[in-house]
Amino acid sequence: MSELRGYEVLSQAFVAEGVDTMFALLGDANMYWGAIMAQKYGVRVVHARHEHCACAMADGYARHTGKVGVATVTCGPGFTQIMTALTTAARGSIPLVVFAGDSPTSAAWYIQSLELGPLATATGARYLPVKGVDRMLDTVREAFYTARQERLPVVLGVPMDLQKAPFPWGPEYSPSTELMPTEQRPAPDPALVDKLAAMIMESSRPIILAGRGVVRSGAGPALEALAERCGALLATSLFAKGLFDHNRFGIGVAGAYASPLAREEFAACDLLIGVGAGLGHYTTEAGYLYPNAKSVQIDLNPRGLYQGLRIADMHIKADAKAAADALLAKLAARGYSSAGVRTPMLANRIAQMAVRPDAKEFLTAPGTVDPRPAMLELDAAIPKDWTVVSGGAHFAGIAVTHMYGRHAEQVHVINDFGAIGSAFPSAIGIAAARGDGKVLLIEGDGSLMMHIQELETIRRHGIRMLICAVNDGGYGAEVHKFRAQGYDPAPSVHGRGDIASIARGFGLRGENVASLGRFKTLFAAYEQAAQTELWDLHVDDKIPSAPYRRIHFGEV
């Protein structure tokens, strides 16, 4: 029996951790391990064309499945490429393990040598170096444990020579899943429950604002029951979009993407209860969204100070569902219930806002469409059981506010780091996880072109998804900001390229869309086809989103 090598034992450990899919760009420092993962253990390996994309694909895979995403890159310049994707995952609390091949420990000089640790930790990720063969398996276990338990990306640095070194011991491995603490729902302090119940009973216009922690906790129904008992309206952060769309008194996303109606209600709010939400700058508009309200934060990790802001007047450290159940029980025990501002008239106004979120009229240039009715039409054409992924550039202010009625678990806005160019590879990871073609990516033309080469990855691996490129011929955010300040936007205009033809050049389907009324027919054709399709939506570049008109043009 031949002696095992380090990379063989490492691959066995990853498989024992439940890894059946990973995203890779192979080089000298990870190629043997990556090859054996696929060839010996049957792990599905999606080979990206760029390291950033491999990491972002693993991020998307983790967002959709709830599992630990796995990516692998080589050392030095292979590793430096993933800084943006790692930061995005860290800001989004996404569990990842990145197998980063490292330069050999025994080499006096190596051209791709680079200290991985400082770069990894600067992104907010954890760095765990494999320092010797004897601790190799322990370090892998710690990487997966940390990713799972702390919900963050972990970089596993594995030197080339240690991967090739003989492994003299047996390959027995106990996966991190055997060490995970029992799942728990930390209960709130009863004294604080009493205090918050009293605040609710004194309030006349409460709003419950739910974040991503509510989605993860499964606390949505409990919060709806609480809101019904105390007459509260329901809102979400951007990252929990869709959670309350089915509720007659759900007023949508808070903050920069809030509707005019929601902004009215927040301005009048006298008690804001943030649950599982960071309550940072964008969600609260730096604290100015609800200036007259007392504020309470319920979270597993409440913060008194976050993003330079004083977050709340009171903090309750608890699981979202446990806190909602406790509050509901306390109010019921006190015999309290209130309709608050929940009237049929308000419910009708909320419903009308969903039908036409932005009513301002604009003329469109020939050969282009108004992106707002186009997004409404797109939303109507795509079934509600699909996963929708959006980038975070200017167009998102229209996409996010004009798509309605989707489960929060199936909506992903990739904007945790404010980085354009990340939604496309994330959507590929989600599409690889779903495997049924029911993924819609909405991305800007500039963002999409940053990693357009991954269209070839999609074709090569037979991944099926639908892409709508919102093509305004430039970097729309900068174009509108230039115009708002009276500057010529030419530096941010690159021309409306034919992205549909580019898709066809990669062997995929592509359609130019320059008029309304086409999405239903195009979707039917996509359903019949067996491959990815890109819709190149030509939009007028002189129509700012409602958030941009308010923030940058001063529109009331």
Side-chain angles (χ1 to χ4, degrees), residues 16 43-44 65 120 177 214 226 239 241 258 281 283 297 322 337 351 361 390 417 451 485 528:
V43 171
R44 181 189 185 192
T65 63
T177 50
V214 171
L226 175 63
F239 297 124
K241 175 179 166 53
H281 261 271
T283 303
Q297 184 186 39
S337 66
E361 297 292 335
S390 173
F417 186 36
H451 296 295
Q485 297 299 319
Q528 295 298 314

Side-chain angles (χ1 to χ4, degrees), residues 120-142:
T121 55
T123 69
R126 188 71 52 81
Y127 178 63
L128 295 175
V130 173
K131 298 179 179 179
V133 174
D134 58 335
R135 292 282 301 167
M136 185 176 285
L137 295 182
D138 292 326
T139 311
V140 172
R141 184 185 301 109
E142 184 178 353

